[in-house]
């Protein structure tokens, strides 16, 4: 963080100590005190009110600029905050508004749909009543036309026959018959009941198109009414009126499977608020009474919210024939409505008001979206301008104009980034000098790599009975792995072309750690092994005095890998740091006997792959060399047969991992067995290819060393 930013943030944290901050705090305290006085003592007159308004205006006039400054320097300084605000204004705000609008619309649609279902079921009941009424009217008119006067039982039988043919087991409506608007005396009627429609009003004597079906309000009661007329042969008008009172049980059939519903009807009594002040036929005042039916169903999940909607239901005043609106409220849930066909047959003032409200809400959301887009564009322009300056500066630096500086005038994070870029150009020349120094060190490391390469056998001279091959691939510039082939001859005094090889020593080691330190310890181990070999090769007597006073044949020393391992352990323990050690596999192959004698000092067991498919692990020996003093190592010995392949390797061959696990010993054996009849360098190449494919593009985790020896 720059010093300028530190000072700016510190000043914002100490804003009450500034002149503007103290002024805002003072007016805020005074303004708050005036409100406390008003709450305690009440209004103190016009002068006190004017004083409070003035103090509030001054407080807002001073606080708003301070708030703007705080927002600019704290909330909109960093690029992160700007991008978040931009996202909120451009991305999130429209989504929230659209989702809100969709949810409100969905709620209204669900409510309208529930109302529509209840009204549809009412209309279905009315339609069924109308069909029954029409059938009954035709039947009774036929009886009147055939002269069946004076026999009420005939009308009753016809009524029961027609009704049962249409409604079956459902409740039958109450029926009344009229001729030319007057009650028909032969029709059986129950005693006068105040809860039933009272006769046939004058406006219903000649209904439109000969029939009438509607919900009617009469004497405070609500009914489903169907009226049907039929002209008799003698010219009289026969009218049949069917009615069913709207009760709780009937409403339950309308809301079955939907939830709960309340139908508000007008009855005699105190006038309801905001209700139509019409008087009914008996002269009483109107009040509302609710017919409630159904139960609120439980939700099936969190999204199954409670949908409660209020609308109006069109009914008819039975006395005057004028349409009236009755409130209908339905409570349901989306789970009960989602399988139904979307639609609404709602009409009335409430639906129109909701429609207008949705339009106003859409316009309001459009205005908010326009404001959000404008602010987001201005914020984005600030960011894009800074990015353009940085891009132009990078092009100039790419052309070598290291002296170029970006002109900075703002105080946000993008401006701080531009200042950082200017400081970077100043540091670039210094970094170039450091790069040259690094290149020099890389050159020296490359020389060290070339020197180490000379420590490995420059050429493999296979014996008449044994083929040899070795390869080492460092994980870094230099390797901590070591391998060597040491040839022994029958007579060292002869020329090179006349020498006869009697055996070969095979060495493979892995130094703890990686890099330069491991490479130096590898050179120490290489020198120690070579020292034993050189002493054997240049000896004239061929014998050496042992510490116990006895003499031994120096040429036989390499035939005892265990003794050499003990000597190397003592040498490394005394000449290296305590935490440094090495794993080592040392073997001697005798040409005459085709016997291999070996000792393994903590190294991964080498493998002897037989021609018959057998696998032998060479694990006889002891612990690592250089870690503990005075260690003794055992030896293993076996006879090699024609076609046997010795596979010695470091952990860099079997331990590399990918998402399927380690490369492993089994895959190594499989690759060698697959190409065992190929030349050894081909086998080595195939193993390396399989290993590279296993590692992929990842960096090699360790040095990779592989030694192969095959009995001819």
């Amino acid at each position: 963080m720059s010093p300028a930013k530190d000072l700016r943030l510190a000043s914002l944290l100490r804003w009450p100590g500034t002149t503007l901050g103290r002024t805002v705090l003072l007016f805020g305290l005074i303004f708050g005190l005036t409100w406390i006085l008003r709450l305690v003592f009440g209004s103190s007159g016009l002068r006190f009110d004017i004083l409070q308004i003035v103090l509030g205006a001054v407080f807002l006039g001073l606080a708003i600029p301070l708030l703007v400054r705080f927002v600019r320097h704290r909330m909109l300084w960093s690029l992160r905050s700007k991008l978040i605000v931009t996202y909120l204004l451009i991305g999130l705000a429209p989504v929230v508004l659209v989702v809100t609008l969709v949810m409100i619309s969905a709620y209204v649609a669900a409510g309208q749909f529930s109302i529509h279902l209840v009204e549809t079921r009412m209309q279905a009941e009315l339609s069924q009543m109308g069909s029954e009424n029409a059938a009954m009217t035709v039947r009774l008119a036929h009886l009147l036309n055939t002269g069946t006067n004076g026999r009420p039982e005939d009308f009753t039988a016809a009524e029961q026959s027609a009704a049962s043919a249409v409604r079956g087991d459902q409740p039958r409506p109450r029926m009344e018959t009229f001729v030319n608007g007057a009650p028909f005396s032969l029709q059986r009627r129950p005693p006068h009941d105040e809860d039933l429609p009272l006769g046939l009003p004058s406006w219903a004597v000649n209904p439109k198109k000969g029939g009438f079906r509607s919900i009617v309000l009469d004497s405070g009661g609500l009914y489903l009414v169907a009226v049907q007329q039929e002209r008799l042969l003698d010219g009289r008008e026969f009218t049949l009126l069917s009615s069913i009172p709207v009760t709780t049980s009937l409403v339950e059939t309308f809301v079955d499977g939907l939830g709960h519903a309340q139908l508000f009807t007008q009855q005699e009594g105190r006038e309801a608020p905001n209700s139509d002040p019409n008087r009914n036929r008996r002269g009483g005042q109107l009040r509302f009474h609710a017919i409630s039916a159904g139960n609120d169903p439980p939700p099936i999940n969190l999204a199954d919210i409670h949908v409660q909607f209020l609308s109006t239901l069109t009914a008819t005043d039975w006395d005057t024939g004028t349409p009236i609106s009755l409130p209908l409220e339905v409570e349901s849930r989306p789970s009960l409505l989602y399988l139904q066909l979307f639609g609404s047959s709602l009409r009335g003032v409430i639906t129109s008001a909701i429609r207008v409200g949705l339009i106003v809400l859409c316009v309001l959301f459009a205005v908010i979206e326009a404001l959000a887009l404008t602010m987001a564009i201005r914020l984005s322009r600030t960011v894009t301008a800074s990015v353009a300056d940085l891009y132009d500066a990078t092009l100039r630096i790419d052309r070598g104009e290291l002296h170029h500086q970006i002109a900075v005038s703002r105080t946000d994070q993008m401006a701080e980034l531009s200042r950082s870029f200017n400081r970077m150009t100043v540091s670039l020349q210094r970094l170039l000098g450091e790069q040259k120094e690094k290149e020099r060190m890389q050159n020296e490391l490359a020389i060290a790599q070339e020197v180490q390469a000379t420590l490995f056998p420059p050429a493999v001279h296979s014996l008449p009975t044994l083929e040899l091959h070795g390869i080492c691939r460092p994980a870094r510039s230099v390797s901590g792995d070591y391998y060597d082939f040491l040839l022994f001859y029958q007579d060292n005094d002869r020329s090179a072309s006349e020498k006869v090889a009697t055996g070969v020593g095979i060495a493979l080691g892995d130094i703890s750690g990686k890099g330069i330190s491991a490479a130096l310890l590898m050179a120490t181990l290489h020198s120690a092994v070579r020292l034993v070999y050189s002493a054997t090769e240049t000896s004239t007597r061929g014998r050496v005095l042992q510490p116990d006073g006895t003499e031994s044949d120096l040429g036989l020393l390499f035939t005892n890998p265990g003794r050499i391992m003990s000597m190397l352990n003592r040498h490394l323990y005394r000449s290296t740091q305590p935490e440094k050690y090495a794993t080592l596999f040392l073997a001697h192959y005798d040409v005459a006997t085709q016997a291999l004698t070996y000792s393994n000092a903590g190294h991964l067991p080498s493998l002897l792959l037989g021609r018959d498919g057998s696998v032998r692990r060479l694990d006889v020996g002891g612990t690592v060399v250089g870690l503990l003093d005075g260690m003794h190592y055992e030896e293993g010995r076996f006879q090699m047969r024609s076609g046997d392949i010795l596979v010695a390797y470091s952990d860099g061959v079997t331990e590399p991992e990918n998402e399927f696990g380690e490369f492993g010993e089994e895959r190594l054996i499989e690759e060698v067995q697959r190409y065992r009849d190929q030349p050894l360098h081909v086998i080595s190449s195939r193993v390396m290819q399989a290993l590279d494919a296993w590692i992929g593009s990842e960096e090699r985790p360790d040095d990779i060393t592989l030694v192969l020896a095959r009995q001819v």
Side-chain angles (χ1 to χ4, degrees):
M1 185 178 296
S2 66
K5 183 181 178 183
D6 289 337
L7 292 176
R8 182 166 54 254
L9 293 180
S11 63
L12 287 172
L13 293 175
R14 299 192 306 267
W15 68 268
T18 62
T19 303
L20 180 59
R22 288 194 297 267
T23 305
V24 171
L25 183 60
L26 177 61
F27 275 94
L29 292 175
I30 296 175
F31 184 65
L33 181 60
T34 58
W35 274 103
I36 294 176
L37 294 176
R38 176 182 288 273
L39 293 176
V40 175
F41 301 105
S43 179
S44 301
L46 181 60
R47 294 182 180 180
F48 185 81
D49 294 339
I50 295 176
L51 176 62
Q52 193 174 31
I53 294 174
V54 172
L55 289 175
V58 173
F59 174 72
L60 291 177
L62 296 176
I64 290 177
L66 186 62
L67 179 62
V68 171
R69 182 185 303 177
F70 176 81
V71 171
R72 289 182 57 188
H73 292 276
R74 290 295 299 273
M75 298 183 62
L76 298 180
W77 183 87
S78 66
L79 178 60
R80 175 185 177 88
S81 299
K82 281 193 174 183
L83 292 179
I84 290 176
V85 173
T86 302
Y87 168 75
L88 292 176
L89 295 177
I90 296 180
L92 185 60
V95 173
V96 172
L97 296 178
V98 171
V99 169
T100 303
L101 180 60
V102 170
M103 293 181 64
I104 293 175
S105 301
Y107 185 91
V108 173
Q112 287 182 326
F113 187 41
S114 63
I115 295 291
H116 170 74
L117 290 177
V118 174
E119 185 177 2
T120 300
R121 294 177 181 182
M122 287 186 178
Q123 294 300 328
E125 181 67 21
L126 282 173
S127 177
Q128 185 176 4
M129 288 179 59
S131 300
E132 295 174 3
N133 202 338
M136 179 66 69
T137 302
V138 173
R139 185 67 176 271
L140 296 179
H142 175 71
L143 293 176
L144 291 175
N145 288 329
T146 55
T148 321
N149 265 330
R151 299 195 329 184
E153 60 274 10
D154 293 338
F155 290 95
T156 302
E159 175 185 349
Q160 294 177 348
S161 175
S164 60
V166 179
R167 298 184 65 86
D169 297 335
Q170 298 182 22
R172 294 169 53 192
R174 176 183 181 275
M175 297 184 179
E176 296 182 81
T177 55
F178 303 87
V179 175
N180 289 336
F184 187 48
S185 59
L186 295 180
Q187 172 73 33
R188 287 197 309 163
R189 298 180 61 187
H192 182 69
D193 192 344
E194 293 291 339
D195 294 332
L196 295 178
L198 303 177
L200 188 68
S202 58
W203 64 268
V205 173
N206 295 308
K208 296 180 179 179
K209 298 182 180 179
F212 170 81
R213 302 172 188 175
S214 177
I215 302 173
V216 302
L217 181 67
D218 181 39
S219 301
L222 197 63
Y223 304 87
L224 300 181
V225 174
V227 178
Q228 185 69 30
Q229 284 188 344
E230 185 75 19
R231 184 176 295 275
L232 301 178
L233 295 178
D234 56 5
R236 294 179 299 170
E237 292 289 343
F238 175 73
T239 304
L240 179 62
L241 184 149
S242 301
S243 62
I244 298 178
V246 178
T247 61
T248 300
S249 59
L250 182 62
V251 176
E252 284 183 352
T253 62
F254 298 154
V255 297
D256 183 27
L258 292 179
H260 178 264
Q262 291 189 93
L263 181 60
F264 298 91
T265 63
Q266 296 177 356
Q267 290 187 340
E268 293 181 3
R270 181 176 52 86
E271 184 177 353
N274 302 323
S275 63
D276 187 5
N278 293 331
R279 300 292 192 271
N280 62 11
R281 211 160 43 90
R282 298 177 177 271
Q285 292 183 334
L286 298 178
R287 62 183 179 89
F288 282 94
H289 171 70
I291 301 176
S292 180
N295 297 313
D296 184 20
I300 62 174
N301 50 47
L302 294 178
D304 195 17
I305 62 174
H306 185 267
V307 178
Q308 184 175 2
F309 202 78
L310 177 67
S311 184
T312 55
L313 186 67
T314 302
T316 302
D317 189 309
W318 189 243
D319 293 332
T320 62
T322 57
I324 59 176
S325 295
L326 299 179
L328 173 62
E329 183 182 61
V330 178
E331 301 176 12
S332 184
R333 294 190 181 274
S335 60
L336 303 176
L337 303 174
Y338 79 101
L339 291 178
Q340 304 295 328
L341 180 64
F342 181 80
S344 177
S345 60
L346 298 178
R347 299 176 298 275
V349 178
I350 296 179
T351 305
S352 301
I354 292 175
R355 187 184 304 110
V356 174
L358 287 176
I359 296 175
V360 173
L361 191 62
C362 291
V363 174
L364 179 61
F365 282 2
V367 173
I368 295 175
E369 177 63 17
L371 293 176
L373 182 61
T374 302
M375 296 180 64
I377 291 175
R378 296 188 61 181
L379 290 176
S380 300
R381 186 175 300 169
T382 302
V383 177
T384 55
S386 299
V387 173
D389 292 339
L390 289 172
Y391 178 72
D392 179 70
T394 55
L395 294 179
R396 290 175 177 269
I397 296 300
D398 185 61
R399 292 195 297 264
E401 301 178 14
L402 300 180
H403 61 278
H404 175 71
Q405 297 286 300
I406 301 176
V408 182
S409 59
R410 297 183 303 274
T411 58
D412 55 13
Q413 190 178 23
M414 293 301 296
E416 189 65 25
L417 179 61
S418 299
R419 295 188 184 95
S420 299
F421 185 88
N422 293 337
R423 292 191 294 269
M424 180 196 68
T425 58
V426 176
S427 303
L428 189 57
Q429 293 181 354
R430 176 176 54 83
L431 295 177
L432 290 176
E434 294 177 357
Q435 179 66 26
K436 291 181 180 179
E437 181 65 19
K438 183 178 179 180
E439 291 177 356
R440 185 186 64 81
M441 295 180 63
Q442 291 289 346
N443 292 334
E444 293 181 356
L445 194 59
I447 295 174
Q449 184 178 10
E450 294 177 1
V451 172
Q452 188 188 47
T454 61
L455 300 180
F456 295 106
V460 178
H461 300 283
S462 299
L463 302 177
T465 59
L466 189 69
E467 299 177 355
L468 297 171
H469 176 76
I471 184 174
C472 179
R473 293 168 56 178
R476 300 178 182 175
S477 299
V478 290
S479 173
D481 284 359
Y482 155 72
Y483 81 93
D484 203 356
F485 300 131
L486 307 171
L487 295 176
F488 296 94
Y489 298 97
Q490 184 177 9
D491 189 355
N492 291 330
D493 294 334
R494 296 184 180 183
S495 62
S497 60
E498 296 177 350
K499 290 181 179 180
V500 178
T502 61
V504 62
I506 302 174
L508 176 63
D510 188 358
I511 312 301
S512 62
K514 302 181 184 68
I516 297 297
S517 62
L520 294 176
L521 185 57
M522 173 266 192
T524 301
L525 182 62
H526 174 273
S527 301
V529 176
R530 281 281 176 172
L531 179 61
V532 177
Y533 169 74
S534 300
T536 304
E537 186 180 30
T538 59
S539 174
T540 56
R541 294 180 61 223
R543 303 185 70 80
V544 65
L545 183 65
Q546 297 298 323
D548 58 1
T550 61
E551 291 185 351
S552 64
D553 191 332
L554 192 60
L556 298 177
L557 183 61
F558 235 95
T559 63
N560 298 299
R563 291 176 58 192
I564 299 176
M565 204 73 79
S566 298
M567 297 170 58
L568 294 174
N569 178 71
R570 184 169 58 252
H571 171 68
L572 292 178
Y573 180 79
R574 297 177 180 179
S575 60
T576 61
Q577 298 176 354
E579 68 274 8
K580 293 296 183 182
Y581 62 90
T583 63
L584 182 62
F585 174 80
L586 196 60
H588 177 268
Y589 173 80
D590 187 271
V591 175
T593 62
Q594 298 183 0
L596 185 73
T597 305
Y598 73 93
S599 182
N600 190 336
H603 198 75
L604 293 176
S606 300
L607 305 172
L608 184 68
L609 307 182
R611 171 65 70 178
D612 57 356
S614 62
V615 178
R616 179 174 182 175
R617 289 171 174 81
L618 311 183
D619 52 4
V620 178
T623 186
V624 297
V625 293
L627 187 62
L628 300 173
D629 194 13
M631 299 302 298
H632 296 278
Y633 297 86
E634 298 179 357
E635 297 178 352
R637 182 182 176 86
F638 60 90
Q639 197 81 16
M640 293 192 68
R641 295 174 295 178
S642 177
D644 288 351
I645 298 179
L646 174 66
V647 181
Y649 57 93
S650 65
D651 55 3
V653 175
T654 57
E655 293 183 358
E657 296 182 349
N658 60 14
E659 61 271 18
F660 300 103
E662 292 185 349
F663 185 78
E665 182 184 279
E666 294 183 0
R667 288 185 177 83
L668 173 61
I669 296 174
E670 180 182 352
E671 291 296 325
V672 176
Q673 293 282 27
R674 183 181 302 170
Y675 304 101
R676 63 174 303 130
D677 295 328
Q678 300 292 328
L680 294 184
H681 71 275
V682 174
I683 299 176
S684 174
S685 175
R686 295 295 184 181
V687 172
M688 294 302 165
Q689 291 178 8
L691 194 58
D692 291 339
W694 188 262
I695 297 175
S697 60
E698 300 293 332
E699 181 183 0
R700 287 195 296 270
D702 202 353
D703 303 324
I704 299 175
T705 303
L706 179 65
V707 173
L708 301 174
R710 180 167 55 191
Q711 178 70 33
V712 178

